Amino acid sequence: MASESIELMILGALMDRPMSAYEMDKEMDIRNVRRWIRISPPSVYRNLIRLYEEGCADGKVVKEGEMPEKTIYSITEKGKERLHELMHRTAAQPARVDYGFLPVTANLCWIGEVEGRELIAELIESHRATAERVEGMIPDYDRLEARATMDLCARTYRLVADWLEEYEREFYDGGKKAAAD
């Protein structure tokens, strides 16, 4: 079963306009979806076909010139209902944020201070560099939702870098370190 986020993004793109699976995959790039949802090209194709089979999308086979046939998908009334259902369900879920580096901060007490500070510095630099890279990409997006998503990502990376600096001060300079000393 597809994640509801993937399904929601596909149905939302079909609300914008009918498109082929290839165009849908490109739309995920244009909307910058892959920055915050794991969605591969095969996943786009599989889920679009599944939505078609479930009656949430309709498909029309077209042939343009010498190009091979392709199916152009459009959203159905059932698909619109599903979109609204998923939007409400997603908005009602408890907020969650996942940070892959937290196991590092949770285990700093098991390594020496020099190595720990190096790891934190690496994390800070990585988050700041990513924030700068993302900020540089924002003007490249025409769609407001893509620019807004990128802005949120950049701000989050900066916030995490600031938090890591504060955590390092508190952990090493605030007397919290115990196990590795």
Side-chain angles (χ1 to χ4, degrees):
M1 181 71 177
S3 85
E4 291 183 350
S5 297
I6 293 171
E7 190 172 335
L8 189 53
M9 293 309 300
I10 289 172
L11 290 170
L14 290 176
M15 287 291 292
D16 190 32
R17 65 181 172 82
M19 64 186 77
S20 69
Y22 176 80
E23 292 169 311
M24 174 69 66
D25 184 56
K26 295 303 168 207
E27 189 70 17
M28 295 300 124
D29 290 331
I30 291 167
R31 292 182 180 204
N32 205 38
V33 172
R34 290 188 171 97
R35 293 277 303 156
W36 41 280
I37 296 176
R38 289 187 180 155
I39 181 168
S40 66
S43 179
V44 170
Y45 286 74
R46 270 192 316 273
N47 286 291
L48 192 50
I49 290 167
R50 183 185 51 75
L51 288 166
Y52 169 77
E53 290 170 349
E54 292 175 358
C56 293
D58 198 9
K60 179 181 176 187
V61 177
V62 297
K63 180 162 176 53
E64 297 170 351
E66 297 297 316
M67 300 297 292
E69 288 183 344
K70 64 181 176 181
T71 303
I72 302 296
Y73 296 93
S74 58
I75 195 163
T76 63
E77 283 304 313
K78 183 177 179 180
K80 291 175 185 178
E81 291 171 13
R82 179 73 177 149
L83 174 86
H84 287 270
E85 172 192 330
L86 289 172
M87 288 180 72
H88 285 276
R89 187 182 309 166
T90 301
Q93 290 178 358
R96 79 181 163 98
V97 178
D98 298 319
Y99 296 112
F101 66 86
L102 289 178
V104 173
T105 59
N107 287 292
L108 285 174
C109 61
W110 306 115
I111 62 174
E113 182 175 339
V114 171
E115 184 180 7
R117 286 184 183 270
E118 288 171 355
L119 289 170
I120 291 173
E122 192 175 323
L123 288 168
I124 291 169
E125 174 56 31
S126 173
H127 281 81
R128 288 231 163 88
T130 302
E132 288 177 24
R133 189 176 75 252
V134 169
E135 286 168 343
M137 294 166 53
I138 293 172
D140 296 339
Y141 292 97
D142 294 329
R143 297 183 65 103
L144 172 62
E145 59 272 29
R147 289 191 315 272
T149 299
M150 296 296 282
D151 181 52
L152 175 61
C153 289
R155 290 181 191 204
T156 302
Y157 289 124
R158 290 203 183 281
L159 178 68
V160 168
D162 292 345
W163 178 85
L164 284 162
E165 284 181 340
E166 185 178 315
Y167 179 78
E168 179 182 20
R169 280 192 302 274
E170 189 174 329
F171 187 79
Y172 290 111
D173 303 331
K176 304 289 185 200
K177 190 159 190 280
D181 290 335

